[in-house]
Amino acid sequence: SVASTGRKRSPARTALVVGNSDYSTAPLVNPGNDAKAVASALREAGFDVDLRLNADRRSLREAIDAFAGKLQSKGGVGLFYFAGHGVQLGGENYLLPVDGGFADAAEMKRSAVSASAAVDAMARSRAGLNVVILDACRDNPFPADAGSRGLTRIDTNASLFLSYSTSPGAVALDGDGRNSPYTKHLVQAI
């Protein structure tokens, strides 16, 4: 559309940014800092940002649903960023809320939110472009039989762009500074 000044308006930009650090098992230092830095950079880039820190399962699911609703009504560009523990199990990526139980693979699957839930919610919105950024490929803090290292690929379509903090199956570092190495450079690029 064209504004009264004759310039073309930018499409709506909507983001959900999640940073989970306070896990009772295997807490992380940087995801909260990473999420705050990404949220700030996205706001400066014109995004309407919903920032969630230390999301439990219920609030993570509610945030994804609200995000999908905003994308449905606004269209434009949707961006989902998650920093925290992510685990691959049976070829599926799971984003771990801070209140999840992790005693075994079955409990983890019940407690976690699949990355596909966010991707599917975004796809249903029919936004012009969807971006998913997962800084969640840290070393698996659970028993070896709970899943593979790192995350697996997610099949995408033409309107979805996925970015991982490391190669599929590999493990990224939380970092020694204020932010993960991946997010440090992501924020500079934004």
Side-chain angles (χ1 to χ4, degrees), residues 68-147:
K70 284 182 183 179
L71 289 176
Q72 183 77 27
S73 66
K74 292 181 178 183
V77 177
L79 187 145
F80 174 70
Y81 171 90
F82 180 87
H85 280 302
V87 175
Q88 176 189 160
L89 182 62
E92 176 66 50
N93 296 321
Y94 292 93
L95 308 176
L96 303 184
V98 294
D99 65 337
F102 311 126
D104 59 29
E107 185 177 5
M108 187 203 63
K109 282 179 80 171
R110 282 190 303 273
S111 300
V113 174
S114 76
S116 296
V119 170
D120 291 348
M122 294 171 79
R124 283 192 309 271
S125 73
R126 303 201 188 282
L129 173 65
N130 290 310
V131 178
V132 176
I133 302 170
L134 300 177
D135 191 0
C137 308
R138 294 175 173 95
D139 199 10
N140 187 342
F142 313 107
D145 63 348

